[in-house]
Amino acid sequence: MKAIILLSGGLDSATTLAIARYQQYECYALSVDYGQRHESELTAAQAVAYSLGVCQHQVIKIDLAAFGGSALTDPSVAVPIKGEKAAIPVTYVPARNTVMLSLALAWAETLGSHDIFIGVNAIDYSGYPDCRPEYIEAFERMANLATKAAIEGNKVVVHAPLINLSKQEIIQKGMSLGVNYSLTVSCYQADEAGLACGVCDACRIRRAGFDKAGIPDPTGYKRD
Amino acid sequence: MKAIILLSGGLDSATTLAIARYQQYECYALSVDYGQRHESELTAAQAVAYSLGVCQHQVIKIDLAAFGGSALTDPSVAVPIKGEKAAIPVTYVPARNTVMLSLALAWAETLGSHDIFIGVNAIDYSGYPDCRPEYIEAFERMANLATKAAIEGNKVVVHAPLINLSKQEIIQKGMSLGVNYSLTVSCYQADEAGLACGVCDACRIRRAGFDKAGIPDPTGYKRD
């Protein structure tokens, strides 16, 4: 059975891909180039896709930056280094998961697949509304009214296998499935070679995850 | 109040924009260039947006054709000229309305708008699953779990003012609101100048609508 896996190049989506592969799906990886600053993510996505043996890796370009509104796509908004946790992070990209899941749904329908995997996580990123279980369920329900497959009785399932895992548990799961985390990039301001800053929110959460899992952090950090 | 209006350049979305304007919204028109064959649609969208005085018209390019699967985006699938009505038309683009509404949601969130207008119509296009009221309701419900605005208590509303109107009623409504239908293109295989073939499903439905409304058809047709 075919499955679409949303693959960002980060730690979570690499783990999600490994889980889908472990569940015997033929994996079709989809990366969305939404005009993000950190293009090294896409390079990482390619390396991850290759290392985990996907059937196909498709990159769809879409200029969400034209809409502005996030530190990840709008150069006029600064990436927060540390400091207080805001209710909703400024690194939130408007409707990002909705846009990405919609594209996954389009490809799934074309391939005759009814399974979509997304590496959202409600615990470490609780500030993002579109990482919550009730959101994923609502998307799935909508998808089942939207598509030809649904009309024909093939229910679309949106799998979010990390949704209730801590970063530590995600890393332990991925290690047991052979994920090479040195290929992944989580940093919001990684350089072109994919080296991480070590100080942004994403870096701190990732480093703490390896610490708690008792696994040496394989992340490449910039020297300064 | 600001609203996002999905504008394809066709008759239905032009009417929808006129309705939103009549309801006193500040209109932000969004066209999605999803790799469709008929680029004259986008030229028409610009002309319609200008003629109805939008605040801004944004075109987002996204290559749905990379996924294939439809006569509208895949050159290997023929556009049907006439003949039997299939259960689901081959001109169906996978997850198209879901992708377009998701992009509208992203822009709405950035603009601080909570109103999205889409010109779907359940009567003339009943073969498309994503034109049904239950689909629109499910999208709206999902959107209200997806966004920052929803978290802050600003409910997103997806307006589908044409959903239960016949083509005749849509045309009568639009004429009463000053829509210039000669600017719109409905044909699946219009030429570069926007001239219509007159024989595809979209042309036949459109022509019949003007006939029933008792209004001279302003469409420019190719000579052959």
Side-chain angles (χ1 to χ4, degrees):
Chain A
M1 290 217 303
K2 294 172 182 172
I4 312 296
I5 295 90
L6 285 166
L7 189 69
S8 71
L11 183 153
D12 291 346
S13 67
T15 309
T16 302
L17 171 56
I19 290 169
R21 189 184 66 155
Y22 180 73
Q23 293 178 3
Q24 310 287 322
Y25 285 98
E26 298 163 39
C27 296
Y28 289 78
L30 177 62
S31 299
V32 182
D33 178 357
Y34 53 88
Q36 66 265 65
R37 283 182 184 180
H38 41 315
E39 277 203 31
S40 53
E41 260 202 7
L42 291 172
T43 312
Q46 276 183 317
V48 169
Y50 182 79
S51 76
L52 289 170
V54 303
C55 299
Q56 197 180 336
H57 178 218
Q58 178 100 248
V59 179
I60 290 278
K61 195 171 169 62
I62 177 170
D63 194 12
L64 276 195
F67 298 149
S70 158
L72 288 189
T73 58
D74 183 348
S76 71
V77 181
V79 170
I81 301 303
K82 24 193 161 181
E84 295 309 297
K85 193 176 172 109
I88 292 177
V90 298
T91 47
Y92 175 74
V93 177
R96 180 170 61 163
N97 285 345
T98 305
V99 171
M100 295 204 303
L101 283 170
S102 301
L103 294 171
L105 183 66
W107 198 18
E109 199 175 358
T110 308
L111 285 176
S113 160
H114 314 114
D115 293 277
I116 297 170
F117 282 76
I118 182 168
V120 293
N121 177 247
I123 295 178
D124 281 330
Y125 291 99
S126 54
Y128 295 86
D130 55 1
C131 290
R132 298 171 301 158
E134 56 267 44
Y135 163 75
I136 296 294
E137 284 158 24
F139 188 94
E140 186 179 276
R141 186 171 170 278
M142 180 274 295
N144 279 300
L145 290 166
T147 66
K148 203 165 154 178
I151 299 290
E152 293 164 357
N154 290 306
K155 198 169 148 49
V156 176
V157 179
V158 179
H159 304 257
L162 313 185
I163 203 154
N164 289 316
L165 300 185
S166 68
K167 195 60 89 184
Q168 168 189 352
E169 290 168 325
I170 292 168
I171 290 168
Q172 284 164 337
K173 183 89 183 164
M175 292 298 288
S176 76
L177 298 174
V179 176
N180 177 354
Y181 285 119
S182 74
L183 300 176
T184 65
V185 173
S186 303
C187 178
Y188 289 146
Q189 43 198 4
D191 68 13
E192 282 177 24
L195 294 175
C197 72
V199 287
C200 71
D201 278 357
C203 277
R204 290 186 303 117
I205 291 170
R206 177 182 168 115
R207 199 199 297 251
F210 281 106
D211 281 355
K212 287 185 192 155
I215 290 166
D217 181 356
T219 308
Y221 292 104
K222 296 177 203 171
R223 296 173 179 228
D224 55 351
Chain B
M1 289 214 306
K2 294 172 182 172
I4 313 295
I5 294 89
L6 285 165
L7 189 69
S8 70
L11 182 153
D12 292 345
S13 67
T15 310
T16 303
L17 170 55
I19 291 170
R21 189 184 65 156
Y22 179 73
Q23 293 177 3
Q24 311 289 323
Y25 285 98
E26 298 163 39
C27 296
Y28 290 77
L30 177 62
S31 299
V32 182
D33 179 356
Y34 53 88
Q36 66 265 64
R37 283 181 184 178
H38 41 314
E39 277 203 31
S40 53
E41 261 203 6
L42 290 172
T43 312
Q46 277 182 317
V48 169
Y50 182 79
S51 75
L52 289 170
V54 302
C55 298
Q56 198 180 336
H57 178 216
Q58 178 99 248
V59 179
I60 290 279
K61 193 170 170 64
I62 177 168
D63 194 12
L64 276 195
F67 297 148
S70 158
L72 289 188
T73 59
D74 182 349
S76 71
V77 181
V79 171
I81 302 302
K82 28 192 160 182
E84 295 309 298
K85 193 176 171 106
I88 291 177
V90 298
T91 47
Y92 175 72
V93 177
R96 179 170 61 164
N97 285 345
T98 305
V99 171
M100 294 203 304
L101 283 171
S102 300
L103 294 171
L105 183 66
W107 198 18
E109 199 174 0
T110 307
L111 285 177
S113 159
H114 314 114
D115 293 277
I116 296 170
F117 282 76
I118 182 167
V120 293
N121 178 248
I123 295 177
D124 281 330
Y125 292 99
S126 53
Y128 294 88
D130 54 1
C131 291
R132 298 171 299 159
E134 55 267 45
Y135 163 76
I136 297 294
E137 283 158 24
F139 188 94
E140 186 179 275
R141 186 171 169 277
M142 180 274 296
N144 279 301
L145 290 165
T147 65
K148 203 165 155 178
I151 299 289
E152 293 165 356
N154 289 306
K155 199 169 150 47
V156 176
V157 179
V158 179
H159 304 257
L162 313 185
I163 202 153
N164 289 316
L165 300 186
S166 68
K167 195 61 86 185
Q168 167 189 352
E169 290 167 326
I170 293 168
I171 290 168
Q172 284 164 337
K173 182 88 182 165
M175 292 298 288
S176 76
L177 296 174
V179 177
N180 178 354
Y181 285 120
S182 74
L183 300 176
T184 66
V185 173
S186 303
C187 179
Y188 288 146
Q189 45 196 2
D191 68 13
E192 284 177 23
L195 293 176
C197 73
V199 288
C200 71
D201 277 357
C203 277
R204 290 186 302 117
I205 291 170
R206 177 182 167 115
R207 199 198 299 250
F210 282 106
D211 280 354
K212 287 185 193 154
I215 290 167
D217 181 355
T219 308
Y221 293 104
K222 298 176 203 172
R223 297 171 178 229
D224 54 354

